[in-house]
Amino acid sequence: MSDKVSASAKDNKAEVWLPAGVTVHVKVKTNSKATQKVALTSKDGTVDHEFSGAGEKSMVIGETTITPGADSPFNAVFEYSGDDNVLKPSKLNCGGPYVIGNFHMVLVVAENGDDEDFNDTVLEFSWFAK
């Protein structure tokens, strides 16, 4: 596993370094009535995956698998829209990598400002390593 596994956040953009050559499961969940949007982009800014939706109780709004390369982080841009349907930047927090046996996880969580619980959008990257 790469030494670069980490996540950092600034404003509504997260940079996530994942292990190269490992199949990583990506899951996006929401706990908000407001529509949440997450765009995963490559280093060059190309949108590779986009997820959006609304719902509570950790409703899954998207899943995919990725296999990261050696020298490129994934960037994730988080936005939400309220009653006016205008996209606004979310506030972010992140954590990990968390390791439980062979299971690894990196999390990025977003808040849209209505309750400060940082669970309006939850972006999970998880994988198994030997």
Side-chain angles (χ1 to χ4, degrees):
M1 191 166 78
S2 170
D3 294 283
K4 294 183 180 180
V5 175
S6 66
S8 61
K10 182 176 181 185
D11 301 322
N12 71 320
K13 183 177 177 183
E15 181 179 85
V16 181
W17 288 88
L18 298 167
V22 173
T23 300
V24 176
H25 185 92
V26 179
K27 184 184 288 186
V28 183
K29 299 184 280 188
T30 180
N31 291 289
S32 177
K33 293 178 184 177
T35 299
Q36 307 293 308
K37 179 182 171 191
V38 178
L40 294 181
T41 65
S42 301
K43 189 175 185 177
D44 67 2
T46 303
V47 175
D48 297 319
H49 303 280
E50 191 170 270
F51 310 95
S52 65
E56 297 190 0
K57 298 182 181 179
S58 294
M59 174 175 272
V60 176
I61 60 171
E63 291 184 82
T64 192
T65 57
I66 58 176
T67 304
D71 294 321
S72 295
F74 279 90
N75 293 309
V77 178
F78 290 74
E79 298 173 302
Y80 71 96
S81 64
D83 295 335
D84 58 3
N85 291 322
V86 175
L87 289 172
K88 301 169 186 75
S90 300
K91 294 187 281 183
L92 303 183
N93 210 336
C94 53
Y98 301 108
V99 180
I100 305 168
N102 292 334
F103 181 75
H104 299 254
M105 180 181 278
V106 173
L107 297 170
V108 182
V109 294
E111 173 56 43
N112 61 21
D114 58 353
D115 55 11
E116 297 299 320
D117 59 3
F118 281 89
N119 74 345
D120 295 322
T121 308
V122 178
L123 173 60
E124 299 176 0
F125 297 92
S126 61
W127 64 96
F128 288 92
K130 295 179 182 178

